[in-house]
Amino acid sequence: MATKIRLQRFGKKGKPFFHVVVADSRSPRDGKFIERLGSYNPNTNPATIEINFEKSLDWVNKGAEPTDTCRAILSYKGVLYKKHLEGGVKKGALTAEQAEAKFAEWLSAKDGRIEGKKDNLTKSKDEVKKAALAAEAKKNADRAAAIAAKNAPVEEVVEEPVAEEAAEETPAAETATEENNEEA
């Protein structure tokens, strides 16, 4: 019987959630399966993957073929790398201790990258939140200034400029008449 390691879909429309299962290749996607290996939730960032490492490694060693997405998940979790290292031990290229050391080093580097991504996501969320708060504070200050300007008492304009213009015209007229008088 040909077995596949594949995803079985659960969840609502638009919010998928998957179980990683081992199934006969002839059975339907969400149908009968042999064993459940774990779960995969792509809705979170980074995606949440919970998988039974030993069972997955055992099924891969037995010859179960993972689908493309499951291959990526198993590679992400290190199952395929562990199989690769075990193949090197069987051929005599590595000792078991060297293989374990390489795998432990790979795991620690992988965990560091995952933590770095989580930290960057948290920092970017904080920066976006701070920028939104600053924009909101600026908008509130502008709104308060507009309300204060609207509620400020308006001083009545006195019509003195018109009287000044009339006063200015009078001296100009007098100088014109004085010039005319001097000429005569």
Side-chain angles (χ1 to χ4, degrees):
M1 161 171 62
T3 57
K4 289 260 189 196
I5 298 175
R6 62 183 179 197
L7 298 177
Q8 192 174 35
R9 192 183 195 285
F10 289 91
K12 297 191 298 186
K13 182 174 20 173
K15 297 284 186 181
F17 180 84
F18 299 95
H19 288 173
V20 180
V21 296
V22 176
D24 183 10
S25 62
R26 297 170 290 182
S27 65
R29 178 190 73 177
D30 297 336
K32 194 168 106 177
F33 61 91
I34 299 168
E35 187 173 9
R36 181 171 179 245
L37 300 177
S39 63
Y40 167 60
N41 184 5
N43 298 320
T44 60
N45 191 7
T48 306
I49 300 171
E50 295 172 7
I51 200 155
N52 187 329
F53 190 85
E54 295 302 322
K55 282 184 182 178
S56 301
L57 183 62
D58 184 44
W59 276 105
V60 169
N61 284 335
K62 286 180 185 175
E65 285 293 319
T67 59
D68 292 339
T69 307
C70 284
R71 182 178 304 281
I73 290 170
L74 295 176
S75 177
Y76 181 81
K77 283 301 196 178
V79 174
L80 297 180
Y81 186 58
K82 181 76 169 184
K83 180 182 184 249
H84 172 71
L85 291 175
E86 286 180 355
V89 170
K90 286 179 186 173
K91 290 180 181 177
L94 297 169
T95 64
E97 295 81 28
Q98 290 174 333
E100 286 299 321
K102 282 188 173 188
F103 187 70
E105 180 184 332
W106 181 85
L107 271 180
S108 64
K110 183 75 168 182
D111 289 340
R113 288 193 301 265
I114 292 170
E115 289 302 317
K117 182 176 182 179
K118 286 181 182 178
D119 291 342
N120 287 340
L121 288 172
T122 320
K123 287 177 185 176
S124 66
K125 277 185 183 179
D126 291 343
E127 289 173 2
V128 167
K129 187 183 268 186
K130 286 178 184 177
L133 287 175
E136 186 176 347
K138 183 179 182 289
K139 192 172 186 180
N140 285 342
D142 293 344
R143 187 178 296 140
I147 290 172
K150 182 179 177 183
N151 291 338
V154 179
E155 295 180 17
E156 292 185 19
V157 178
V158 181
E159 295 193 17
E160 292 178 17
V162 175
E164 290 176 8
E165 288 177 9
E168 290 177 7
E169 290 178 14
T170 310
E174 289 176 8
T175 55
T177 53
E178 289 176 8
E179 290 177 3
N180 291 337
N181 290 338
E182 291 176 7
E183 290 178 6

